[in-house]
Amino acid sequence: QVQLVESGGGLVQGGGALRLSCAASGSIFSINAMGWYRQAPGKQRELVAAITSGSNTYYADSVKGRFTISRDDAKNTVYLQMNSLKPEDTAVYYCNVQIRYSDATVYNYWGQGTQVTVSS
C-alpha cells in the first residue's frame, strides 16, 4: 500500500508564490512519472505538470514559465513551485504518482488534494 501526503496549499494574492509538496510512502519498488493535476469548480481535472523518472518535464501551456516541477527520488517526493500566480490558478491541486512494483506492474496513486486560492 502506498500513501501520498500533499502539503503547501493556501491563500495567496495574485502575483504571489506557493510551493506544493507530495511525499509518497509505503511499499515502493520504484517510481515512474510524477505529476500535478488541478480541478477548479465546475471544470474537469487537468494535467498541470509532469516529470518522468529521467527528469523530462511537461507543462500545460497555461503555466509554462511560471510553474516548475521537480522531484527528489531519495525522498519519494515531487514538488510544484508556482510563481506569478493568477486568480485562474485557483483550484484543488492533486499529485499523481506512478508506482512500479517488482513484477513490473504499474499503479497510479492520487494525493488527497490541496486547495490553492489566488485572490485578485
Side-chain angles (χ1 to χ4, degrees):
Q1 189 71 320
V2 173
Q3 296 81 39
L4 301 183
V5 177
E6 298 182 27
S7 61
L11 173 63
V12 65
Q13 282 192 331
L18 286 172
R19 188 191 194 206
L20 306 183
S21 299
C22 173
S25 62
S27 180
I28 297 172
F29 180 72
S30 67
I31 298 177
N32 289 349
M34 308 175 86
W36 289 94
Y37 290 71
R38 67 186 181 187
Q39 187 166 19
K43 295 188 176 181
Q44 289 190 332
R45 189 173 297 189
E46 62 173 351
L47 176 61
V48 175
I51 184 167
T52 68
S53 56
S55 294
N56 293 310
T57 57
Y58 161 85
Y59 296 96
D61 287 342
S62 58
V63 306
K64 281 181 182 176
R66 300 188 298 121
F67 290 10
T68 302
I69 189 170
S70 60
R71 60 190 286 168
D72 184 337
D73 289 334
K75 297 181 179 180
N76 292 331
T77 299
V78 60
Y79 305 96
L80 186 67
Q81 178 66 43
M82 304 185 293
N83 298 329
S84 302
L85 282 161
K86 304 175 181 180
E88 50 264 43
D89 295 318
T90 295
V92 178
Y93 284 69
Y94 298 90
C95 67
N96 176 273
V97 176
Q98 295 177 0
I99 304 293
R100 186 172 73 86
Y101 290 93
S102 56
D103 63 357
T105 57
V106 176
Y107 286 94
N108 274 301
Y109 291 90
W110 291 90
Q112 78 279 11
T114 186
Q115 177 70 46
V116 171
T117 302
V118 185
S119 62
S120 56

